[in-house]
Amino acid sequence: MNTDSTKKTRELIARLLSPASIAIVGASADLERFNGRVVKNLLRHGYPGKVYPVNPKYDEVAGLPCYASVGDLPEVPETVFISVGRERVLEVFGECAALGTPTATIYSAGFSEFDDEGGRIEAEIARIAADAGMRVCGPNTAGYHNFGGRVQLAGIIAMDVERVVPGAVGVICQSGSIGGALISRATHRGIGFSYLISCGNEMDLEMADYVDFLVADSATRSIAIYLEGLKNPGKFIAAAKRALEAGKPVVVCKVGRTSAGRAAAVSHTGALVGEDRAYDAAFRQMGITRVDGLEALFEVAHMFATSPLPQGRRVGILTTSGGAGALVADECGGLGLEVPPFGEELEARILKTLPDFIGVSNPIDTTIAGINSFQEILRALLGEADFDILVAIVGSSAQFRHGIAVDPLVHAKEGGLAGDTPLLTYFNPYSEEAHRKMAAAEIPSFNTTEGAARAAGYLSRYAEFSQRRRSEYPPPRAVETPAVAQQILSGAAGSAGASGSAGAIGEAGGLALAEAFGIRAVPRRLCGGVEEAAAAAGELDYPVVIKVSSPEVSHKTELGLVSEGLSDEASLREAFTSLSENSRRANLRKVDGYLVQRLIRGGEEFLVGMVRDPQFGALITVGLGGAAAEAVGDVSVRLAPVSEGEADAMLNELRGKRLLDAFRGRGALDRSALVEVIRRFSLLVASLGERLAEADLNPVFVLPEGEGAWAADALFVFSGSEMGRIR
């Protein structure tokens, strides 16, 4: 439900992007300079409102009267575009605020992204804006484009075209030059945008505000974002949820996968850029499609704006270029898409249209000999219920003879033959005219075979996510910390002062904490001496494991603080002596006792853990467990808490997911039990909040189907803990 402030922000963004009048402060009479091109672009592309150039140097700009200051204007402009030196911005902005101008765009740079003095000026501008109720785009922004409203408030050279094509993709960029590149590349392909907004430093209006506006905009059917970093991840996630609920897919090209990329992003905008895995987790959890590269950004966003969602993962491939068809099929297989064989009826129908020597399979290659059958085969495939997505690949005829395959694709879409089946296209060789025809017919087209196949994967993944999300609505919420868990935590805090391990919990307490949230832990006893340990082992039944439980160590094996596979009392007593000596050698300040556990046989080891990201908060990690967990690095990540469906999706992302299925002579493991451990652990993490710095259950033994999953070791590190970490 939208708050009053959200609605008000949306209304003011609408006024910013569709103003009845615009003042250009710093306008130049030289229309080839940036400050002149701003005026030129507005006039050239038919801006329907009033344009007021402001610059004391000129009497007129582009045939329009030019005013010495905003105070000399004949009316209060609905928005103002400020392009003057940094030293004058504060003064000009103050004049606009005093006039009552509701919105502003600050092109000028040199603020928080540059130095401390720039940050001070920016903060003062923000204060004036807040006091006046103004909303501001920038500073350090290239401006914006409202294509449907013919408002091209930017000075980029990419607008030196006869006309731009309005479309259904709303674009938000944290780079002005990238925005220009997107417009240029998409325009050549005939792909149009509804808006393109350059965020700048986001002093006032943020990425999330623009997303929220585009979600409510009737002309926008999908949202494309070039992202460097988020100032307010929680706000962005809330806007992304609204996009998901509205059925408007969000596509993101996020830089900063590497440390070098993150450093470049920070230096460009001054934005706080966190760990890439946290962003990736948030994108996956919100159904956001992440792509690599600018071409994919507008191609995939255009696909989402023009295509129905598929019902499944089955892909049919029709090609006049056999090699390209094989490449798409290979890529689809690697993405988990199905390229199933044709049914008997479909095969018989296709055979009637082709020469006898051409075989029929999926992909179906007409070859040059059967190329004139393309239209008939296309009709057959689109009428076939066994395919959820159809990829059409056109060879040389895409460049020279559109009547063979390009035009039939257009007719199929415009005539309704495609129906609810997404139709994707690739041309080999490249044909700009063919791409333009596809865009005009709202058929997604792609520049590479990989791009076409990946797009099919994005479509199916988003469709599956949307369906799962609807079935799980409302999303999971954190539970209150159970009373028994509060007692465990209080006990740890109470003993922290004496031990010096502020807030750390040893394995015994950690497993008890997990059990308080409904996670099954391996049967065990915490013992103070060897006689007690021997008695406990007898009760639990041999073989057993014995460990030193201390809040000061995370990995016991390296210090010789765990002994496994003890089969009788003699071996247990010997192990106890060794553990005691190793404990003294490690100079542990606090030992809770000796933990005797039943030895778990069979199954596989997994890890369920948590780390805290400074921007996104608690991240839940799932992966292969045991001693090799860190070496293998096979993990999936989400924000806490996660739903049952999301936990299951995390397992599907692991390279080692096959271990949960029947494997090498043994039956399938209890996947549903592991899903429940993940879900409950995420609720534990969410309920403990920011006091929990890091945690993991490793290993979690996943036993054969029906036998459950058991946590065998637990680590909880709290904020301010002095726990000695072994890495």
Side-chain angles (χ1 to χ4, degrees):
M1 184 175 181
N2 293 318
T3 64
D4 290 341
S5 62
T6 300
K7 291 179 180 178
K8 182 65 174 177
T9 297
R10 200 179 290 161
E11 291 169 0
L12 284 170
I13 292 177
R15 295 182 71 181
L16 171 74
L17 301 179
S18 301
S21 57
I22 303 172
I24 314 296
V25 181
S28 174
D30 183 351
L31 300 186
E32 296 310 311
R33 296 182 62 184
F34 179 89
N35 289 6
R37 287 200 306 269
V38 176
V39 179
K40 174 185 173 182
N41 288 342
L42 282 169
L43 300 179
R44 179 174 189 168
H45 294 286
Y47 170 61
K50 297 175 183 178
V51 179
Y52 297 117
V54 178
N55 193 327
K57 294 181 181 180
Y58 309 109
D59 293 327
E60 71 171 43
V61 170
L64 299 172
C66 187
Y67 300 87
S69 70
V70 291
D72 296 326
L73 296 176
E75 64 174 316
V76 176
E78 192 158 18
T79 196
V80 59
F81 185 91
I82 300 175
S83 180
V84 297
R86 180 179 82 167
E87 67 281 357
R88 290 195 56 224
V89 173
L90 190 58
E91 174 191 351
V92 170
F93 189 84
E95 292 174 356
C96 295
L99 281 177
T101 305
T103 64
T105 298
I106 304 177
Y107 167 77
S108 309
F111 294 92
S112 61
E113 85 285 359
F114 185 68
D115 61 14
D116 291 342
E117 175 61 13
R120 185 196 66 77
I121 298 172
E122 185 176 302
E124 182 62 15
I125 294 170
R127 184 194 64 76
I128 294 171
D131 290 345
M134 291 179 69
R135 301 315 304 260
V136 183
C137 176
N140 190 28
T141 171
Y144 62 80
H145 307 263
N146 174 352
F147 294 94
R150 294 178 293 166
V151 187
Q152 309 297 340
L153 191 57
I156 60 173
I157 298 176
M159 299 311 298
D160 279 356
V161 292
E162 289 302 315
R163 62 184 295 268
V164 290
V165 183
V169 178
V171 184
I172 311 169
C173 267
Q174 287 184 324
S175 166
S177 61
I178 292 296
L182 286 170
I183 291 175
S184 177
R185 291 168 183 266
T187 298
H188 283 299
R189 295 270 297 274
I191 294 174
F193 301 147
S194 56
Y195 297 87
L196 189 148
I197 304 164
S198 170
C199 294
N201 290 3
E202 301 180 41
M203 175 198 77
D204 173 39
L205 292 172
E206 300 177 22
M207 172 73 68
D209 296 313
Y210 299 123
V211 171
D212 185 75
F213 169 81
L214 293 174
V215 167
D217 177 62
S218 60
T220 301
R221 298 202 295 266
S222 69
I223 300 169
I225 299 173
Y226 175 82
L227 182 65
E228 295 178 343
L230 293 170
K231 288 192 171 184
N232 189 336
K235 187 176 178 181
F236 176 81
I237 288 171
K241 285 181 180 177
R242 288 192 284 274
L244 184 64
E245 292 162 3
K248 293 194 178 183
V250 178
V251 183
V252 171
C253 178
K254 164 71 172 67
V255 296
R257 288 189 186 274
T258 65
S259 58
R262 287 193 292 274
V266 170
S267 65
H268 180 225
T269 64
L272 177 62
V273 180
E275 289 291 331
D276 190 69
R277 64 177 174 176
Y279 280 91
D280 211 45
F283 296 158
R284 290 175 184 274
Q285 211 152 343
M286 294 301 109
I288 293 172
T289 298
R290 183 173 187 173
V291 299
D292 295 318
L294 299 185
E295 202 86 16
L297 181 59
F298 69 77
E299 283 182 341
V300 173
H302 178 251
M303 173 190 68
F304 277 121
T306 56
S307 295
L309 295 180
Q311 299 300 308
R313 291 173 163 250
R314 298 161 301 181
V315 180
I317 302 172
L318 170 61
T319 177
T320 66
S321 171
L327 287 170
V328 171
D330 273 351
E331 190 76 20
C332 284
L335 294 168
L337 299 170
E338 302 173 37
V339 185
F342 296 146
E344 292 183 5
E345 291 184 12
L346 178 61
E347 183 176 334
R349 180 177 173 182
I350 293 175
L351 280 171
K352 291 178 182 178
T353 71
L354 292 171
D356 293 341
F357 58 84
I358 298 179
V360 176
S361 61
N362 188 18
I364 175 68
D365 179 15
T366 65
T367 75
I368 294 176
I371 196 169
N372 290 320
S373 300
F374 185 93
Q375 182 170 348
E376 185 58 33
I377 298 173
L378 176 65
R379 293 177 63 87
L381 292 178
L382 287 174
E384 175 58 44
D386 283 346
F387 297 117
D388 302 301
I389 301 171
L390 181 64
V391 180
I393 302 167
V394 185
S396 297
S397 65
Q399 197 166 23
F400 303 109
R401 298 177 63 187
H402 284 189
I404 291 176
V406 173
D407 291 343
L409 288 167
V410 173
H411 298 328
K413 181 64 180 284
E414 293 181 343
L417 180 62
D420 293 332
T421 302
L423 176 59
L424 315 183
T425 57
Y426 164 71
F427 303 118
N428 180 30
Y430 177 81
S431 170
E432 185 174 297
E433 185 181 354
H435 278 299
R436 286 176 174 272
K437 281 191 173 183
M438 294 300 107
E442 295 199 336
I443 301 173
S445 62
F446 301 88
N447 244 351
T448 64
T449 54
E450 296 89 351
R454 289 172 187 169
Y458 296 143
L459 262 183
S460 64
R461 186 194 307 165
Y462 182 81
E464 291 168 0
F465 181 91
S466 298
Q467 185 176 13
R468 185 179 79 238
R469 190 62 178 248
R470 284 193 297 270
S471 68
E472 293 180 344
Y473 193 82
R477 296 182 181 274
V479 298
E480 289 188 12
T481 306
V484 63
Q486 292 283 20
Q487 293 173 4
I488 295 168
L489 294 170
S490 297
S495 62
S499 69
S501 300
I505 295 182
E507 182 180 348
L511 289 172
L513 183 60
E515 284 183 320
F517 282 84
I519 298 169
R520 291 201 292 182
V522 174
R524 65 207 178 278
R525 300 286 188 275
L526 183 63
C527 306
V530 66
E531 298 302 330
E532 192 178 350
E539 294 175 9
L540 293 169
D541 289 333
Y542 289 98
V544 296
V545 177
I546 185 168
K547 313 172 187 177
V548 174
S549 178
S550 169
E552 296 180 44
V553 291
S554 55
H555 301 321
K556 303 174 186 66
T557 304
E558 289 89 335
L559 295 179
L561 300 179
V562 57
S563 185
E564 301 179 354
L566 306 177
S567 57
D568 52 33
E569 184 173 332
S571 60
L572 180 136
R573 289 180 179 274
E574 183 180 349
F576 189 95
T577 300
S578 177
L579 292 180
S580 298
E581 292 175 356
N582 290 339
S583 179
R584 286 192 294 272
R585 191 177 296 117
N587 293 318
L588 299 181
R589 293 172 294 179
K590 177 173 174 53
V591 174
D592 299 328
Y594 296 84
L595 195 66
V596 180
Q597 287 183 319
R598 182 180 298 162
L599 180 67
I600 300 295
R601 298 182 184 277
E604 298 288 348
E605 297 180 26
F606 282 79
L607 174 150
V608 181
M610 167 266 176
V611 293
R612 185 163 297 282
D613 181 83
Q615 285 191 290
F616 288 90
L619 305 180
I620 302 300
T621 60
V622 176
L624 299 184
E630 293 184 14
V632 174
D634 183 15
V635 297
S636 178
V637 183
R638 292 293 190 277
L639 310 185
V642 299
S643 65
E644 180 180 331
E646 202 68 46
D648 192 67
M650 293 175 77
L651 296 179
N652 283 334
E653 292 169 8
L654 299 177
R655 296 191 301 274
K657 63 184 177 182
R658 282 191 57 209
L659 293 174
L660 291 166
D661 302 327
F663 188 72
R664 292 192 173 181
R666 65 149 170 78
L669 301 183
D670 204 333
R671 180 186 179 113
S672 61
L674 179 56
V675 165
E676 185 65 4
V677 170
I678 298 167
R679 186 185 74 84
R680 289 182 177 275
F681 179 79
S682 79
L683 292 175
L684 179 161
V685 168
S687 72
L688 296 187
E690 294 187 1
R691 54 182 162 167
L692 183 61
E694 187 175 348
D696 67 46
L697 306 177
N698 180 29
V700 174
F701 288 97
V702 184
L703 301 182
E705 206 162 38
E707 296 183 26
W710 299 80
D713 201 342
L715 169 70
F716 289 89
V717 181
F718 291 84
S719 299
S721 172
E722 298 176 9
M723 172 179 278
R725 310 292 288 145
I726 300 174
R727 294 297 186 189

